[in-house]
Structure formats: C-alpha cells, structure tokens
Amino acid sequence: MNVDYEDLAKRIAALTEGETDEVALMATLACEIHHADDRFDWTGFYRVTEPELLKIGPYQGGHGCLVIPFSRGVCGAAAREGRTQLVPDVEAFPGHIACASSTRSELVIPVHAKRGVIAVLDIDSDQPDAFTEEDAAALEAILKDVFGHL
C-alpha cells in the first residue's frame, strides 16, 4: 500500500487543529503516519532534550533507542545538519545505529519550529530502498504545517 499523502495531510490537519502541545502532536503524527503505509515498520520521534542530544518520543512499532547523540547515526545526522536523510541501505550509512536488526532503510526528517530543530521524525523500513524523494517532500510539508507555527 502506498500513502495517499493528500489524504494523510488532511487527516492530520483535522486531528491537530488548534493543538500546541508538541508531544501530543508527535503522538498523533506517529500513529497516523505509521498506519498509512505497510513500508513503515517503525515510525516515531526523537526529541531534542539537551544540546546535541535526542531522546525517544512518541512512536509506533517495536522498542527504539532511548538516547541518540547528534554525533551518531541517521537521526543524529538529521538533527545535526538540519536536513532530511534518505538512506536506501542502512548498512552503507557510516555510524548507523541498529536500534532494530530488521531495519534495512530509513527516512529521517528534522522537525523545525520557530526556535530551531526540536526533534526528528524517524521512519524505518524492513525493506531495502523503501523510501522516495516524494515520501520525503510530502512528510516535510506535513511537518512544516503542523510544527512550523510553534
């Protein structure tokens, strides 16, 4: 099943209208995005809780890593660089952190708010090369719509 991003964006907009609590927003998005496509094996947020440090936030799927420094892994790179990381093969990514041994590809998008990067959205797939530029662009737009005003 492939995501209907237009429908997903409308659903998320309706569910999050007027909400300003970041954790509530993250929980809602993690649920909606995770169940939108069978490629999404783990979907969740890592929150910036201290300088150069991410801690697990709301997610769907098996257990994730609890703490990720900006200096490590795909999530750390997205937070550190402030740009999306589209990784078709996690084994080829230097410093990849294997929170789940089933992960084959990964898409990590920084969450930008007015005060800067507040989190990253991490989507893992048990399929190699599961994500496209279209996935990245559509999810970036959804994140901007939800978090850009905070």
Side-chain angles (χ1 to χ4, degrees):
M1 146 174 87
N2 281 337
V3 182
D4 178 343
Y5 283 111
E6 185 177 334
D7 181 60
L8 179 63
K10 287 178 184 174
R11 258 194 343 268
I12 287 173
L15 288 166
T16 60
E17 184 177 357
E19 183 57 64
T20 59
D21 182 87
E22 293 170 358
V23 173
L25 292 168
M26 289 177 194
T28 301
L29 268 72
C31 181
E32 289 299 315
I33 293 168
H34 185 73
H35 294 288
D37 195 308
D38 292 338
R39 295 173 296 162
F40 302 168
D41 190 50
W42 192 95
T43 308
F45 289 87
Y46 285 95
R47 301 170 302 116
V48 178
T49 58
E50 298 175 32
E52 308 292 311
L53 189 71
L54 298 165
K55 286 196 178 179
I56 197 157
Y59 68 90
Q60 300 277 311
H63 292 285
C65 296
L66 296 180
V67 178
I68 299 176
F70 278 28
S71 61
R72 297 202 50 224
V74 182
C75 291
R80 182 177 66 250
E81 297 173 14
R83 66 179 181 86
T84 297
Q85 305 290 312
L86 180 61
V87 181
D89 177 4
V90 296
E91 297 298 322
F93 189 91
H96 174 256
I97 302 169
C99 295
S101 60
S102 61
T103 300
R104 296 290 170 255
S105 57
E106 193 166 1
L107 174 61
V108 182
I109 304 169
V111 178
H112 297 275
K114 288 182 180 176
R115 66 182 190 274
V117 174
I118 61 168
V120 297
L121 170 62
D122 180 18
I123 305 175
D124 296 349
S125 181
D126 56 6
Q127 303 170 28
D129 200 16
F131 305 108
T132 66
E133 292 290 340
E134 178 191 355
D135 294 316
L139 291 165
E140 286 169 353
I142 288 170
L143 291 173
K144 183 178 180 184
D145 287 345
V146 172
F147 294 97
H149 67 282
L150 297 180

